[in-house]
Amino acid sequence: MKILKIDHLGIAVNSIEEGKNFWTDALGLEFEGSETVEEQKVTTAFFPVGESEVELLESTAPDGPIAKFLEKKGQGIHHVAFRVDNIEAALAELKEKGIRLIDEKPRKGAGGAKIAFLHPKATNGILVELCER
Ligand code: ZN
């Protein structure tokens, strides 16, 4: 498995419209636009930061994973995403190492990326996403 870089930090917010001002006005980042991923019941907004990005996540449904996260923990860091060169090979390798996975197979993420989450129990409490684009 080859980790290429931190692809993005996923941050759960109640509202992208309200949450984005800090990133644009205070930090001077560029708002790259938003995209809804129906499958995940989430709208994402990306703000490039050098080689990586900040990803704001807003729920589109009360039973979606981001809605549940906000209910339990409130707004804040939701996941860290690492870009890999081959996500299928990375998942197979982690599985062989006994790492608990949420997604055994990649699913479709924003921007046409292939993504998969590792279980927080296997990572000392952090939700880790692998992505390939
Ligand atoms: Zn993400």
Side-chain angles (χ1 to χ4, degrees):
M1 164 171 40
K2 185 152 196 235
I3 303 275
L4 302 173
K5 64 176 187 173
I6 291 182
D7 190 82
H8 61 271
L9 289 178
I11 299 173
V13 293
N14 295 329
S15 155
I16 286 172
E17 201 39 52
E18 287 166 25
K20 77 182 194 338
N21 292 340
F22 168 73
W23 304 95
T24 53
D25 298 353
L27 297 192
L29 298 178
E30 200 176 309
F31 173 47
E32 216 182 38
S34 59
E35 179 185 344
T36 296
V37 183
E38 289 298 347
E39 237 178 278
Q40 321 277 342
K41 299 178 177 173
V42 69
T43 296
T44 64
F46 281 97
F47 303 82
V49 185
E51 293 263 288
S52 303
E53 294 183 298
V54 166
E55 174 188 44
L56 297 187
L57 305 153
E58 177 187 323
S59 184
T60 59
D63 63 337
I66 296 303
K68 286 182 191 153
F69 177 88
L70 288 167
E71 204 173 288
K72 241 198 269 176
K73 301 192 171 170
Q75 302 188 96
I77 294 211
H78 177 262
H79 65 270
V80 179
F82 295 99
R83 187 180 296 193
V84 294
D85 59 347
N86 181 333
I87 194 166
E88 284 88 0
L91 290 171
E93 186 180 328
L94 289 169
K95 199 176 171 188
E96 197 171 302
K97 287 175 175 168
I99 301 298
R100 197 163 149 199
L101 307 172
I102 291 177
D103 301 303
E104 304 238 331
K105 290 204 169 82
R107 44 177 150 140
K108 202 182 123 241
K114 289 197 274 185
I115 67 168
F117 288 98
L118 315 187
H119 201 285
K121 286 224 162 87
T123 65
N124 304 307
I126 296 163
L127 182 59
V128 171
E129 172 188 330
L130 299 182
C131 76
E132 180 191 334
R133 23 175 141 222

